[in-house]
Amino acid sequence: MSNTNTPPEHRERDTSHTTGHEVLAGVVQVRRGALKALLWQRARPPHPNRWALPGGRLHSDETVESSIRRQLAEKVDVRELTHVEQLAVFSDPERVPGNRVVATAFLGLVPCDTDPELPGDTAWHPIEALPETAFDHETILLTARERLRSKLSYTNIGFALAPPKFTVSELRDIYSAALGYRVSATNLQRVLSRRGALEATGETVAAGPSGGRPPALFRFTSRDLQITDRFAVLRPPG
Amino acid sequence: MSNTNTPPEHRERDTSHTTGHEVLAGVVQVRRGALKALLWQRARPPHPNRWALPGGRLHSDETVESSIRRQLAEKVDVRELTHVEQLAVFSDPERVPGNRVVATAFLGLVPCDTDPELPGDTAWHPIEALPETAFDHETILLTARERLRSKLSYTNIGFALAPPKFTVSELRDIYSAALGYRVSATNLQRVLSRRGALEATGETVAAGPSGGRPPALFRFTSRDLQITDRFAVLRPPG
DNA sequence: CAGGGTTTTCGTCTTAGGATCGAAAACGTG
DNA sequence: CACGTTTTCGATCCTAAGACGAAAACCCTG
């Protein structure tokens, strides 16, 4: 009832503390069969030497989306960042010692064929074996991985992890690494094709060193995120 | 590269503006066959007389979750709020005239058998026919509805809209109202039962005024959100 | 109290996507 | 040229959801 006449943004401001807002991104990529995350090593306190997610403070003229894109541009070429989406807000008052900082977390994806130049303090780390991380960044990263795994099932988000053209086996390896278990190349191709997410380029590439049939090259039909509506359980008529 | 040695939260603070953080909730309920949202009518500028979502400023000792629960407690009894989840961050610099206010939006659900006392400026409005809304609150509300509709398909979230016990027909009406199209009572029962989300109480209730077989009462087996893993397309072994 | 209307409930049929398996295709190698 | 290897394709099985209709169980009326 207290806001009957008082719009929230016009209430007396709480000045006993400073509340900041930062944006952070769990940027992941499949490299050499493992799902890896982009982390930079802190030099100063708090949490010196620990590894942290890329990000930084939100500016006054930015949306959280434009802010995270700006800040990630300092780490990786923006064109290599094929997908960015909001994850969640992390707002535990104690999540950062000292000042209050609310974080909007993002999931960022980089295709596996790119190897961007990184600053000296920045490196890829396998999510399965993370180094000591700062603040709640490990939690954020695990949330990011969970989101990715879910979306691999019901969207075409694989396009953001795969190169422009790929063989079905390569795509299977990407999916396997991201999901954490082996998937069948046969089923993967059939499922994605039936959804209209995958199409053959017509090209084939030479067989591997141990022989075998030369694989065909495929590509995703769309490089925008598309959700498979077939998962509506109680479907609309028609 | 600029944050090589500078932790985000230790950068010089931008004092040219005040950035606030508010929490807002799209609280919805099925009443008389329609999906309705809780809105309060603003008295003061900006946007006087327009209808706004419940919420308010984030306090320094709160998470966004505890904040929205505290603020909603002023509108509806907390025990009547059966489900609350984060929706998204809305951060357009122009979303609120004047000060910069970032909003963390939530989806809140109230079961259809409760009719909480409301403050005088607050009322339920059908989402299909909203009055003039303030700021970006209509967008937030439509996002909330979309989230609800998706989750009705692949989770047991219906428990949060339904009373503790209900007939299949009542549940069908709830789902129909929330989804915006008629669903089959037969299929609804079978689908939810097969998932293990629904169970019969053994009780039956008297038939309606126009006769008919007396319906059996059901309940949700769990009142916590559970996701149907059936929708993993490429399932883990086992 | 018998019969018709109503609503719920159950079973069956159909459709469709996903899993599994195995065969065929196309290549290297010895 | 036979053999191993890898990819690709097709056939079959399984499970789940949608559609439909029949049966069950009640009300009301004549």
Side-chain angles (χ1 to χ4, degrees):
Chain A
M1 195 93 86
S2 73
N3 59 4
T4 297
N5 290 318
T6 313
E9 68 279 11
H10 279 192
R11 298 225 185 96
E12 62 287 320
R13 190 144 289 122
D14 184 349
T15 51
S16 64
H17 68 289
T18 56
T19 280
H21 195 126
E22 66 178 355
V23 290
L24 296 169
V27 179
V28 301
Q29 181 191 32
V30 175
R31 345 186 86 210
R32 267 179 287 159
L35 188 65
K36 307 208 175 182
L38 197 64
L39 295 168
W40 62 280
Q41 190 168 29
R42 298 176 59 83
R44 297 202 197 163
H47 293 185
N49 300 323
R50 294 206 194 175
W51 293 82
L53 294 176
R57 290 186 62 84
L58 174 68
H59 288 185
S60 62
D61 57 348
E62 297 175 313
T63 65
V64 287
E65 283 81 9
S66 58
S67 182
I68 193 65
R69 286 187 180 273
R70 171 180 61 78
Q71 314 223 30
L72 287 180
E74 302 170 4
K75 298 283 184 188
V76 288
D77 190 332
V78 188
R79 288 164 305 187
E80 292 166 340
L81 205 61
T82 36
H83 180 72
V84 176
E85 71 176 49
Q86 271 194 37
L87 258 189
V89 173
F90 292 82
S91 59
D92 188 321
E94 315 290 334
R95 62 175 289 276
V96 168
N99 288 333
R100 173 72 193 274
V101 183
V102 173
T104 299
F106 288 81
L107 167 66
L109 300 180
V110 173
C112 64
D113 63 331
T114 67
D115 192 4
E117 283 279 320
L118 297 180
D121 59 353
T122 306
W124 296 98
H125 289 274
I127 295 193
E128 293 292 339
L130 288 176
E132 255 209 320
T133 50
F135 313 121
D136 53 358
H137 291 195
E138 178 166 358
T139 303
I140 295 176
L141 215 36
L142 296 183
T143 305
R145 185 179 66 176
E146 223 30 63
R147 173 73 63 92
L148 170 62
R149 288 181 172 175
S150 307
K151 287 217 164 180
L152 281 173
S153 271
Y154 65 91
T155 72
N156 64 343
I157 204 172
F159 80 83
L161 292 175
K165 299 176 180 181
F166 46 84
T167 69
V168 175
S169 292
E170 285 165 358
L171 191 64
R172 162 178 47 86
D173 292 340
I174 293 171
Y175 271 69
S176 297
L179 289 170
Y181 53 82
R182 304 294 293 175
V183 301
S184 144
T186 298
N187 286 333
L188 182 62
Q189 177 185 1
R190 204 172 22 70
V191 167
L192 292 180
S193 298
R194 179 132 48 184
R195 285 186 194 167
L198 221 57
E199 72 186 357
T201 65
E203 308 161 75
T204 66
V205 69
S210 59
R213 174 172 173 170
L217 285 178
F218 289 81
R219 67 168 152 252
F220 278 93
T221 50
S222 167
R223 302 195 74 75
D224 296 314
L225 189 65
Q226 293 183 332
I227 297 176
T228 309
D229 57 337
R230 241 184 315 89
F231 292 103
V233 166
L234 306 151
R235 299 182 197 160
Chain B
M1 194 90 85
S2 73
N3 60 2
T4 297
N5 290 319
T6 312
E9 68 279 13
H10 279 192
R11 299 223 184 98
E12 61 287 320
R13 189 143 290 123
D14 184 348
T15 51
S16 64
H17 67 289
T18 57
T19 281
H21 194 128
E22 65 178 356
V23 290
L24 297 169
V27 179
V28 301
Q29 182 192 32
V30 174
R31 349 186 85 210
R32 267 179 287 156
L35 189 65
K36 308 208 173 180
L38 197 63
L39 295 168
W40 62 280
Q41 190 168 29
R42 297 176 59 85
R44 299 203 196 162
H47 294 185
N49 300 323
R50 295 205 194 174
W51 294 82
L53 295 177
R57 291 185 61 84
L58 175 68
H59 288 184
S60 63
D61 58 347
E62 298 175 314
T63 65
V64 287
E65 283 81 8
S66 58
S67 182
I68 193 64
R69 286 187 181 273
R70 171 181 62 78
Q71 314 223 30
L72 288 179
E74 301 170 5
K75 299 283 183 189
V76 289
D77 190 332
V78 188
R79 288 163 306 186
E80 292 165 340
L81 205 61
T82 36
H83 181 70
V84 176
E85 71 175 51
Q86 272 195 36
L87 259 188
V89 172
F90 291 82
S91 58
D92 188 321
E94 314 290 333
R95 62 175 290 276
V96 168
N99 287 334
R100 173 71 194 275
V101 183
V102 173
T104 299
F106 288 81
L107 165 67
L109 301 179
V110 173
C112 63
D113 64 330
T114 67
D115 192 4
E117 283 279 319
L118 297 181
D121 59 353
T122 307
W124 296 99
H125 289 274
I127 295 191
E128 293 292 341
L130 287 177
E132 255 209 321
T133 50
F135 314 119
D136 54 358
H137 291 195
E138 178 167 357
T139 302
I140 295 177
L141 214 36
L142 296 182
T143 305
R145 184 178 68 174
E146 224 28 66
R147 173 74 62 90
L148 171 62
R149 288 182 172 175
S150 308
K151 287 217 164 181
L152 281 173
S153 272
Y154 65 92
T155 71
N156 63 342
I157 203 171
F159 80 84
L161 292 174
K165 300 175 180 181
F166 47 83
T167 70
V168 174
S169 293
E170 286 165 356
L171 191 65
R172 162 179 48 86
D173 293 339
I174 294 170
Y175 271 70
S176 297
L179 288 170
Y181 52 82
R182 303 293 295 175
V183 301
S184 146
T186 298
N187 287 332
L188 180 63
Q189 177 186 1
R190 203 172 27 69
V191 167
L192 293 180
S193 298
R194 175 134 43 189
R195 285 184 194 170
L198 220 58
E199 71 185 357
T201 66
E203 309 160 76
T204 67
V205 70
S210 58
R213 176 171 172 167
L217 285 178
F218 289 80
R219 66 168 153 254
F220 279 92
T221 50
S222 167
R223 302 194 75 77
D224 296 315
L225 189 65
Q226 294 184 331
I227 297 175
T228 309
D229 56 340
R230 257 203 58 260
F231 292 103
V233 167
L234 306 152
R235 297 178 200 164

